[in-house]
Amino acid sequence: IEELYKDAENPAHSLLNYAVLLSSTNRHEEALGHIESAIAILHDLERRICIECGEGTERHQSCVSSSVVAHYNMWVEMSKLGRKKAAVDCLQRASNVARFKLGAANPL
């Protein structure tokens, strides 16, 4: 499964989905690594989208929404690993990204 994400159309989503599977089998450190990789991919993708299409486009909103979900998932994994301070930082990051990049009207 792990090798399949490399050829996926959306590798960040594949990594996040794989992290959920790992988490469900109590492999939280591994899940965290995949979430971190997904966040890096999403960060780079967002930068490229902003250059190519601009902020506020549907493509940009989708990328940012995925980033919010990824940071939330990181909070879950950090909490399960007992890293409370880092977990709170992840949840705060998810909240800030949602508020400032998606706006108050967005349900995230």
Side-chain angles (χ1 to χ4, degrees):
I1 292 175
E2 188 171 353
E3 289 298 315
L4 293 177
Y5 80 85
K6 293 177 183 175
D7 296 326
E9 185 176 313
N10 191 331
H13 285 172
S14 296
L15 286 165
L16 291 173
N17 289 334
Y18 188 51
V20 170
L21 292 173
L22 290 169
S23 181
S24 70
T25 60
N26 293 319
R27 294 165 61 184
H28 303 295
E29 279 295 343
E30 289 177 77
L32 188 58
H34 288 286
I35 293 167
E36 289 170 343
S37 295
I39 288 171
I41 290 168
L42 290 166
H43 181 73
D44 291 343
L45 179 60
E46 182 187 359
R47 192 172 331 142
R48 283 196 315 268
I49 290 170
C50 284
I51 291 168
E52 294 170 9
C53 307
E55 289 185 32
T57 62
E58 184 177 325
R59 192 169 169 214
H60 181 256
Q61 296 288 306
S62 176
C63 181
V64 171
S65 294
S66 294
S67 182
V68 171
V69 170
H71 282 91
Y72 174 84
N73 289 358
M74 186 177 275
W75 167 73
V76 170
E77 296 308 318
M78 291 283 196
S79 295
K80 289 180 179 181
L81 291 167
R83 300 177 190 164
K84 302 300 182 193
K85 169 82 171 93
V88 170
D89 291 343
C90 293
L91 194 57
Q92 186 65 49
R93 175 76 173 148
S95 174
N96 287 339
V97 170
R99 184 177 328 124
F100 296 115
K101 293 187 178 186
L102 296 175
N106 189 289
L108 287 177

